[in-house]
Amino acid sequence: MRVSLFAAFVSLAIAATFQLGTAHEPDGAHGSQSVFDKKLVSTRITVSDILNNHGKYDAARAHTKLFEAGATLVYVTPWNNHGYDVVKYFKGKFDFVSPVWYKVQRVGEQRYELTGGHDVDKGWMEEVRGRVNDKLVGKIVPRFQFHGWSREDLVALVQNESEAKALADVLAEECKKHDFNGLVLESGIPTYLPVFFGLLAGQLHGYGRELIVVIPPNREGSLQLLTQETFKQLASVADYLSLMTYDYSSSKPTGGPNAPIDWMEENIDDITNDSNRRKLLLGLNMYGMDFSPRDEPQAVVGNQVLEILRGPGVGTINWDKESEEHWFEYKDPQGVSHQVWTPTLKVGAGARRCGGKGKEDVPGGADPPGGGLRW
C-alpha cells in the first residue's frame, strides 16, 4: 500500500493517495506515529523521505475522519481505478464518494440519453456506504458530465424551461433507479443554468437526495464567470459546489505549480461570503505534473513519481515559497530534462488552511507518492 506524503494527514485525500493490495488489508507497513512526529511535514524533504515512508499509514485511524472543517468528497476516476478499493478500506473518511460513471447527451428536442449506467456496481456501493460513529458516510453521488453538446443544445437548455425539466426528470429518475444519494453535475456552463439546477434540486430534495454542482475556478487573463453573485445564486439551490482548483500550469510548457496557494485563497475569497462558504468544496489535486521541452505536460500519479525518484538523474526536491509547492528535476533515458511539480505533506498543510475556509474534494484515483502515518 502506498500513501501520499502530501495529503496523508488530511482525511479528504485518502482515496487519492493509496494503492491497495486488497480492499480489506492493505499491504505495507503501518504504525501509530504521526507524520508530525516523523517531521515529514516540512519544506525540506528528501527523496529518501518519500521512498522510505510512502507505504506507511496509521491503521488505527483508517476509518476516522480528521478533517473537521466540513464535508469531504472524493472522485473515483477510471484512469486509476484502484480508488474503488481505497474508498472501501478507508470508509469513514469521506462524506461523499463520486464515481465518474455517466455521460449526458442531448439526442433531440426534450430528449436526453445517459451512458455509463452499465458501470453501476450495487455491491460496491453497499460496501462504501454506511454508518461510522452514528454518521452516514460514503454517500454515493456519481458524476454526470455533459458530453458532445453543440451550441444549439446548450442554448436550448438555457432558454427553454421545458428542456430543463426534461433533463432534470431523466437525472432524477436515474438516481431513484439505483438508489444514489444524489449526484454531481458537470456541465461546463454552470453560471448559465440556475433554472435547470433549481428544477433538478427540487426533484432530488423531494426524496432526500443532494445536488453537487461542479464550478470552474477564476484564472488571471480569462473571462471571470464566477462572482459572489453567481455563486450565491447557485448556492441557493445546490447543496455544495465543487471548485476545480488544480491544473493551474497544465497549459504552460515551461512548467509551474499545480495549485498555487494564493490562487486558491483568491478564488475562495472572490466568490464566497461568510454565509455560503460552507457550501464550497475546494478541489485538491492528488497527482503531479511532468513538464519537458519535448512533450506536452503529463499528469503523473504516485507509482510514476516513485519510479522516477528511484531512477538516476533526480535532483534535489525544492520548495517554491510563492506557490507553496514542491518540485524537482530529472533526466530521462534520452537525456531530456524534466521538471515535476508534485503535492507533498507540506502542500497538504497549506491546502488544509484553505480548506478551513470551505470544504474539500479530491480525485480518487490519482495516487500520488509519499509517506504518511496519520491523517
Side-chain angles (χ1 to χ4, degrees):
M1 174 188 208
R2 294 177 180 128
V3 118
S4 167
L5 179 64
F6 342 108
F9 77 102
V10 185
S11 65
L12 59 95
I14 301 312
T17 61
F18 287 91
Q19 178 167 355
L20 299 182
T22 68
H24 303 289
E25 184 58 37
D27 54 3
H30 61 272
S32 59
Q33 202 173 15
S34 80
V35 290
F36 299 100
D37 295 333
K38 296 275 287 185
K39 302 187 186 305
L40 295 173
V41 185
S42 172
T43 59
R44 297 181 179 181
I45 59 171
T46 65
V47 171
S48 61
D49 286 334
I50 296 176
L51 296 181
N52 293 336
N53 291 283
H54 69 82
K56 299 174 183 176
Y57 67 99
D58 184 355
R61 296 176 175 84
H63 305 295
T64 303
K65 176 185 170 187
L66 301 182
F67 179 72
E68 299 176 349
T72 54
L73 176 148
V74 62
Y75 291 100
V76 181
T77 62
W79 56 280
N80 203 349
N81 62 13
H82 69 263
Y84 285 100
D85 287 331
V86 171
V87 293
K88 287 191 290 185
Y89 187 80
F90 296 98
K91 181 177 180 176
K93 289 192 172 291
F94 311 108
D95 297 294
F96 298 97
V97 176
S98 183
V100 180
W101 281 337
Y102 286 94
K103 299 291 187 184
V104 183
Q105 288 184 287
R106 183 174 184 259
V107 293
E109 187 175 343
Q110 297 181 35
R111 292 173 52 234
Y112 295 89
E113 181 177 271
L114 304 179
T115 55
H118 62 278
D119 289 324
V120 175
D121 185 335
K122 294 290 185 70
W124 174 80
M125 287 169 52
E126 291 310 308
E127 289 186 83
V128 170
R129 183 167 52 190
R131 290 193 172 274
V132 173
N133 298 325
D134 294 325
K135 180 184 177 183
L136 181 62
V137 298
K139 291 182 281 187
I140 306 298
V141 288
R143 190 194 71 175
F144 290 74
Q145 183 184 54
F146 284 15
H147 179 74
W149 285 55
S150 67
R151 184 179 184 279
E152 179 184 12
D153 294 332
L154 294 171
V155 169
L157 183 63
V158 171
Q159 297 183 349
N160 191 323
E161 188 169 338
S162 296
E163 290 281 349
K165 184 180 184 306
L167 178 53
D169 289 345
V170 169
L171 294 172
E173 185 59 35
E174 190 73 3
C175 278
K176 290 180 183 178
K177 176 182 176 181
H178 294 294
D179 193 29
F180 299 147
N181 297 97
L183 61 86
V184 175
L185 202 298
E186 183 175 349
S187 67
I189 55 165
T191 56
Y192 294 94
L193 298 174
V195 173
F196 163 64
F197 289 136
L199 292 169
L200 177 58
Q203 291 207 38
L204 294 175
H205 294 163
Y207 62 102
R209 274 30 179 193
E210 296 178 86
L211 172 63
I212 299 171
V213 174
V214 176
I215 56 177
N218 287 328
R219 297 175 182 270
E220 185 177 354
S222 300
L223 179 64
Q224 307 297 293
L225 295 176
L226 278 173
T227 64
Q228 290 215 358
E229 186 57 37
T230 54
F231 185 91
K232 178 181 177 181
Q233 188 176 34
L234 293 173
S236 68
V237 292
D239 296 279
Y240 295 100
L241 294 111
S242 175
L243 181 64
M244 300 186 293
T245 38
Y246 34 81
D247 293 342
Y248 180 81
S249 302
S250 60
S251 62
K252 300 178 181 179
T254 55
N258 293 307
I261 195 75
D262 57 351
W263 175 63
M264 298 172 76
E265 290 181 328
E266 286 169 5
N267 266 275
I268 295 171
D269 292 337
D270 287 350
I271 67 176
T272 68
N273 57 46
D274 291 341
S275 65
N276 61 27
R277 190 164 290 160
R278 62 185 176 79
K279 290 198 171 189
L280 181 67
L281 292 164
L282 179 68
L284 303 180
N285 64 290
M286 291 294 105
Y287 55 89
M289 291 297 294
D290 186 329
F291 300 89
S292 77
R294 178 177 294 180
D295 303 307
E296 293 293 319
Q298 299 291 321
V300 285
V301 296
N303 282 346
Q304 294 170 297
V305 177
L306 291 171
E307 184 178 354
I308 293 169
L309 293 177
R310 292 189 183 107
V314 177
T316 302
I317 297 180
N318 305 286
W319 176 253
D320 183 70
K321 292 182 180 180
E322 184 175 351
S323 67
E324 297 192 20
E325 287 193 21
H326 278 107
W327 63 277
F328 64 89
E329 294 180 327
Y330 75 97
K331 288 189 177 182
D332 65 24
Q334 289 72 44
V336 178
S337 295
H338 292 246
Q339 186 181 97
V340 176
W341 290 74
T342 185
T344 60
L345 275 175
K346 188 63 177 176
V347 173
R352 191 179 190 185
R353 186 176 76 233
C354 283
K357 294 184 174 184
K359 316 298 194 254
E360 305 189 50
D361 67 70
V362 295
D367 182 35
L373 309 176
R374 178 172 182 266
W375 19 265

